[in-house]
Amino acid sequence: MSTSVRPRVLITRAVFPEHLERLREGFEVESNQEDLSFDAAQLAQRLADKDGALVTGGDRINADLLRGAPHLKVVSSISVGFNHIDLHACSAAGVMATNTPDVLTETTADLGWALMMAAARQVTQAERWLREGRWQRWALDQWLGFDVHHACLGIIGMGRIGQAIARRARGFSMSILYHNRSRLDAAIEAELGARYVDKKTLLEQADHVVLVLPYAPENHHMIGAAELALMKPSACLTNIARGGLIDESALCAALQSGRLGAAGLDVYEGEPHVAPELLELPNVALTPHIGSATRATRAAMAHLAIDNLCAALKGEIPPCLLNPDVRGRAA
Ligand code: 8YV
């Protein structure tokens, strides 16, 4: 095949060298190894002549963008979440959309645990205090946190990552409640030792609440002032899903007033902007959206995204197609 007819692919962010090499074997690639941030107009301009795009959670894919990309056949995201992609618009435009589930499940569950424990035991705040040279002596009431072992864990969103978090909880002798769109099979509930309850019961009874559900406009601010008021004052809330699930002003107010024990956040409403009130609070552990951030997992995500892209550009059905109702554009 002559190089001039090879499909043209845009990579919107920097990738590892092996990924770039793999893509260059099959495609005419426009890369972004400087890792510049493209605004909507810059993205549209770069997509105008492309057949495929390898994108990330920060790239908004909507009808406007797709209108200006008449050759585009696939948008392959290096992420499991796909709230940044308008699937209806993709299907209407004949563009396949894909994501990268499974390969990040265990890594993201690890981070969920790390954050839950950091929030409960004030790990990040205590470390900052130590680094500031403020540790003069031991005290009986110093840096008192909340127990994780033998506590009640409430998981909202019992998909792959939620279940991986539940599995880890058994080693800490926790009781497990969960809430999900649909109830799991009895056999999986038994294996996990998890009990299905409504959201209100979970919020009232859990000592540690972890959010692991996909974001959609319907669950915007699903944790607001009313939900926080149901929780125990000693409860810890961890969010590794999407920032928009929590009303951050209500969360700040609850943490400030002592209405809520602590929070662990990896995701934010306006990330990478983090509300200044959150930065000021002592009872919150904050990480910069690193749920899937190990080299092995990020590499696996990018490889799976490339598998999806290659399949779509060969006219095949990609392994992780999000919009099976799409009717592909003629190659
Ligand atoms: C990604 C994530 O790193 O996969 C997801 O949905 O939130 C993270 O693992 C991020 O979205 C960048 O694409």
Side-chain angles (χ1 to χ4, degrees):
M1 198 189 282
S2 98
T3 50
S4 60
V5 296
R6 300 198 317 163
R8 282 160 301 208
V9 164
L10 174 71
I11 316 174
T12 64
R13 297 293 305 274
V15 289
F16 297 146
E18 65 266 29
H19 301 121
L20 193 54
E21 206 174 299
R22 204 182 143 198
L23 285 166
R24 281 187 174 145
E25 277 165 18
F27 309 114
E28 289 302 307
V29 175
E30 180 174 340
S31 61
N32 176 17
Q33 292 304 83
E34 290 164 285
D35 213 23
L36 304 171
S37 296
F38 300 147
D39 63 23
Q42 290 165 327
L43 188 57
Q45 189 229 321
R46 283 168 175 80
L47 278 180
D49 63 345
K50 299 298 184 297
D51 301 289
L54 198 71
V55 307
T56 70
D59 300 306
R60 301 247 144 255
I61 310 297
N62 55 28
D64 276 352
L65 188 81
L66 297 174
R67 254 192 297 280
H71 309 285
L72 199 66
K73 294 171 193 70
V74 55
V75 169
S76 171
S77 186
I78 310 175
S79 65
V80 66
F82 50 86
N83 54 299
H84 55 295
I85 304 176
D86 181 338
L87 292 184
H88 293 296
C90 284
S91 293
V95 174
M96 293 188 235
T98 64
N99 70 339
T100 59
D102 299 320
V103 290
L104 47 49
T105 297
E106 300 298 332
T107 298
T108 309
D110 282 351
L111 194 272
W113 263 85
L115 205 47
M116 177 172 81
M117 296 193 78
R121 299 297 304 274
Q122 308 190 71
V123 173
T124 56
Q125 305 90 314
E127 188 197 353
R128 193 163 53 237
W129 182 78
L130 178 152
R131 283 176 188 266
E132 286 166 1
R134 294 165 65 188
W135 189 22
Q136 303 299 333
R137 60 196 188 118
W138 180 91
L140 192 66
D141 64 351
Q142 208 164 57
W143 291 106
L144 303 180
F146 303 102
D147 278 324
V148 173
H149 69 90
H150 294 92
C152 176
L153 172 64
I155 301 175
I156 304 186
M158 200 58 142
R160 291 166 282 234
I161 300 172
Q163 292 179 33
I165 288 174
R167 267 185 214 104
R168 285 157 175 71
R170 305 201 79 175
F172 285 73
S173 307
M174 298 180 93
S175 56
I176 306 171
L177 303 176
Y178 79 95
H179 184 68
N180 198 40
R181 256 177 320 186
S182 48
R183 199 172 161 170
L184 301 177
D185 285 350
I188 301 176
E189 283 187 355
E191 182 217 321
L192 298 172
R195 187 159 66 87
Y196 180 82
V197 289
D198 59 41
K199 184 172 134 191
K200 180 170 179 284
T201 306
L202 185 146
L203 292 171
E204 283 169 352
Q205 294 186 6
D207 299 300
H208 300 273
V209 174
V210 183
L211 304 183
V212 214
L213 67 167
Y215 175 83
E218 308 82 79
N219 56 30
H220 184 73
H221 286 185
M222 66 169 299
I223 303 291
E227 289 75 20
L228 292 163
L230 294 172
M231 295 175 69
K232 298 179 185 180
S234 55
C236 305
L237 174 65
T238 296
N239 187 9
I240 57 165
R242 287 292 181 266
L245 295 171
I246 299 181
D247 177 345
E248 270 177 14
S249 326
L251 176 65
C252 288
L255 288 165
Q256 254 150 13
S257 67
R259 183 64 205 77
L260 187 71
L265 305 176
D266 187 46
V267 288
Y268 306 87
E269 283 202 81
E271 62 184 59
H273 173 77
V274 178
E277 305 91 283
L278 274 178
L279 298 174
E280 297 301 321
L281 283 166
N283 46 351
V284 57
L286 306 171
T287 50
H289 202 147
I290 57 170
S292 62
T294 66
R295 199 196 189 280
T297 292
R298 287 279 167 84
M301 290 167 72
H303 274 307
L304 181 53
I306 296 172
D307 292 345
N308 284 320
L309 186 95
C310 290
L313 291 178
K314 272 197 249 161
E316 296 167 5
I317 296 176
C320 315
L321 182 62
L322 290 166
N323 56 337
D325 61 331
V326 68
R327 292 176 58 207
R329 287 177 177 177

